Amino acid sequence: MIDGFLSVLRPEVLVLVFLGVTGGIIVGSLPGLTATMGIALLVPFTFGLEIQQSMAMLLGIFSGAIYGGSISAILIRTPGTPAAAATLLDGYPMTLRGEAGRALSMSAFASFIGGFTGALIMTFLSPQISKLALEFSPAEYFALALFGLSIIISVSGGSIVKGLMSGFFGLIIATIGLDPISGYARFTYGIVDLFEGPTFIPTLIGLFALSEVFKGVETIKKQEKIDNKINQLLPSFKDIKKSWKVIGKSSIMGTFIGSIPGAGSDIAAFVGYSEAKRTSKHPEKFGTGVIEGIAAAEASNNACTGGAMIPLLSLGVPGDAVTAVLLGAFIMQGLKPGPLLYRDHMDVVYGVFSAMMVANVAMFMVGTLGVKFFSKVITINRNILIPIIFVLSLVGAYSMRNSAFDLWVAIVFGVIGYFLQRYNFPVSPILLALILGPMAESNLRRALLISEGSWSIFVTRPICVVLIVLAILSIVSALLKQRKLNKISG
């Protein structure tokens, strides 16, 4: 392990780590550009580098991009990556209150702790967690999706009815496209671009960024300039004391969710956020700009980076799209991740562990030093800022597939998001339903096919039972707390 650290701490490797982290933060903060895209673009350029240099740079981009998504989510209500969608729930309200610096510094701190914890767990518990993750069958995946969907009640804001209506609307949209089992086209009306359903990134950009642009145009002359003073680069001791339990719990949950193939950092962020809200003494304040909300979402989604590396290194199975690209980088270097990597190339494995930890330290340094620079964004005159966000949103929507159809998807969902906001319907349940709806549907049907139609498969598998019980507890607890709040408010 010491040799691994020494190989990463060489000056030329450190330079590549910092370059990767900085590039990752820029890519992550731009709507429509994902960590997967950033790494995929850079992989060919790492061919001539030695394996430690190559992995250090790619892991730097991975860590930087997941954190970078939170910057635009906090400042302009536009999540740079899907993983940052939960961060904007409390991050943007804090910016509106003039606390952008406080939100950004907590985001960098929680991302660092989450990412570093994920890297530590990856280093010491990879084989054990991989065995547990391999126990996941379609029944467990369905139960995990069900647990995630139970969060809809928690993110519904003041009205559970409106939240559920938004959630059902999202589930209906998620049924558009080819049937996951039979391949039958549903609600596509012969439009080939709809065969895979509404493209996720343009939908996300429309619901959050373009709806905010439309709202901003309406209030452009009335809105007062927000004074966001940056007095500190690090979160205050008071904020750390308030959030440390949430950060610790979210880091562990995020790492485990990341280790499950197919479950990504967006799911981890929402699960971490919901758990923080469920166990909070003041759940009614979540969504109005509380520091614990940012801490939970960011610790979870960054811990996911370490978790996603666990099945890749120990089994050769990528945990998400980013690690699938990293698998290609390993193969390009003549290495095949899996049990044989641990037997034949322990120097490479320790190098990857070390690079992941160093990348998180670099991400914290760049993120913290950049707080003052990032927060300048909101000092730009809104007459200039709103058109910039509009153009960036359209470029981001188009760049995913170079498709003009995706531009229309973003605009249509922008209009839908605008009217939903106008009539106080929460938008987050739609996003949650779009992420988890297809996962729930396809795995429910696969599980029933395996069990030949018997529902007993969901109550005879221990992990499945635990997840279903957690989903029920989450719903009951949210309903009881909402009832209590309604009584207090009269």
Side-chain angles (χ1 to χ4, degrees):
M1 192 69 198
I2 293 171
D3 289 339
F5 269 112
L6 290 176
S7 69
V8 175
L9 292 176
R10 286 177 294 158
E12 65 272 22
V13 181
L14 282 177
V15 169
L16 290 171
V17 172
F18 276 90
L19 279 175
V21 166
T22 309
I25 291 175
I26 294 170
V27 167
S29 62
L30 293 173
L33 301 184
T34 60
T36 313
M37 190 184 289
I39 292 177
L41 287 172
L42 205 71
V43 163
F45 296 100
T46 61
F47 183 68
L49 300 175
E50 61 179 75
I51 182 68
Q52 300 295 10
Q53 293 173 334
S54 163
M55 281 298 127
M57 191 169 190
L58 295 175
L59 291 173
I61 296 176
F62 190 12
S63 303
I66 299 296
Y67 160 68
S70 70
I71 297 171
S72 50
I74 289 170
L75 295 177
I76 55 175
R77 199 175 180 261
T78 307
T81 58
T87 309
L88 70 79
L89 297 175
D90 284 288
Y92 189 63
M94 286 184 72
T95 297
L96 293 180
R97 284 206 309 258
E99 296 176 354
R102 187 180 165 215
L104 286 170
S105 57
M106 176 50 79
S107 169
F109 180 76
S111 297
F112 164 64
I113 299 293
F116 201 82
T117 305
L120 279 177
I121 294 174
M122 172 183 81
T123 304
F124 296 106
L125 296 174
S126 283
Q128 291 82 355
I129 292 180
S130 291
K131 282 179 190 169
L132 188 60
L134 278 182
E135 294 293 321
F136 270 61
S137 70
E140 279 78 15
Y141 277 108
F142 168 71
L144 179 65
L146 195 67
F147 176 49
L149 285 170
S150 69
I151 297 167
I152 285 178
I153 293 179
S154 300
V155 297
S156 291
S159 170
I160 289 179
V161 175
K162 286 185 175 178
L164 288 174
M165 287 172 74
S166 292
F168 279 122
F169 176 62
L171 287 175
I172 291 168
I173 294 171
T175 61
I176 297 173
L178 296 179
D179 184 295
I181 304 296
S182 69
Y184 182 78
R186 303 182 300 197
F187 310 116
T188 58
Y189 305 103
I191 302 170
V192 177
D193 288 301
L194 281 178
F195 278 11
E196 293 179 8
T199 328
F200 184 67
I201 298 288
T203 306
L204 175 74
I205 288 172
L207 283 174
F208 288 99
L210 288 182
S211 66
E212 193 64 22
V213 167
F214 299 150
K215 190 179 163 192
V217 170
E218 194 179 50
T219 59
I220 199 162
K221 289 185 180 174
K222 301 174 193 169
Q223 201 152 18
E224 293 176 5
K225 191 178 176 184
I226 302 162
D227 185 20
N228 274 281
K229 288 181 183 173
I230 310 296
N231 299 320
Q232 58 188 60
L233 299 180
L234 294 170
S236 66
F237 179 71
K238 189 181 170 188
D239 282 344
I240 293 174
K241 190 180 173 187
K242 203 185 281 184
S243 311
W244 71 271
K245 282 185 184 173
V246 166
I247 293 174
K249 193 162 54 175
S250 300
S251 300
I252 294 170
M253 287 173 66
T255 307
F256 181 69
I257 292 173
S259 70
I260 302 168
S265 49
D266 41 5
I267 295 174
F270 273 108
V271 171
Y273 181 85
S274 172
E275 184 58 22
K277 182 175 180 181
R278 191 180 68 80
T279 53
S280 170
K281 290 177 182 172
H282 48 80
E284 73 283 0
K285 291 184 181 174
F286 275 68
T288 62
V290 291
I291 203 74
E292 299 98 307
I294 295 173
E298 283 303 301
S300 271
N301 64 26
N302 279 273
C304 213
T305 57
M309 293 295 292
I310 292 174
L312 173 67
L313 289 175
S314 54
L315 303 170
V317 178
D320 58 10
V322 182
T323 46
V325 181
L326 286 174
L327 176 63
F330 271 106
I331 292 170
M332 207 170 71
Q333 295 279 352
L335 297 167
K336 191 177 177 186
L340 293 181
L341 189 71
Y342 280 77
R343 193 192 69 185
D344 301 334
H345 299 283
M346 270 314 285
D347 55 330
V348 174
V349 174
Y350 283 135
V352 171
F353 291 160
S354 309
M356 198 73 191
M357 292 184 206
V358 172
N360 276 288
V361 174
M363 181 268 292
F364 180 58
M365 291 169 70
V366 176
T368 307
L369 293 172
V371 166
K372 281 192 175 181
F373 174 74
F374 303 143
S375 57
K376 294 283 181 196
V377 171
I378 43 177
T379 62
I380 299 172
N381 190 310
R382 290 189 70 81
N383 292 341
I384 300 169
L385 185 61
I386 287 176
I388 291 174
I389 298 173
F390 182 71
V391 172
L392 275 178
S393 300
L394 293 185
V395 170
Y398 179 80
S399 64
M400 284 305 296
R401 299 191 302 178
N402 293 336
S403 164
F405 182 81
D406 288 346
L407 287 177
W408 288 108
V409 170
I411 291 169
V412 167
F413 278 98
V415 174
I416 292 172
Y418 166 76
F419 281 106
L420 287 173
Q421 279 193 68
R422 191 181 176 92
Y423 295 103
N424 299 320
F425 280 85
V427 178
S428 302
I430 300 177
L431 183 65
L432 210 54
L434 286 172
I435 294 170
L436 296 169
M439 180 176 166
E441 185 200 357
S442 56
N443 286 295
L444 170 65
R445 292 171 65 186
R446 284 193 191 110
L448 289 175
L449 282 173
I450 292 169
S451 67
E452 297 179 341
S454 171
W455 290 82
S456 62
I457 191 171
F458 299 108
V459 292
T460 52
R461 300 179 65 89
I463 298 174
C464 192
V465 171
V466 169
L467 288 169
I468 290 174
V469 168
L470 281 175
I472 294 169
L473 282 177
S474 173
I475 293 169
V476 172
S477 146
L479 287 172
L480 288 176
K481 281 181 180 172
Q482 186 66 38
R483 192 178 167 189
K484 192 177 169 186
L485 288 174
N486 290 342
K487 276 187 180 176
I488 293 170
S489 60

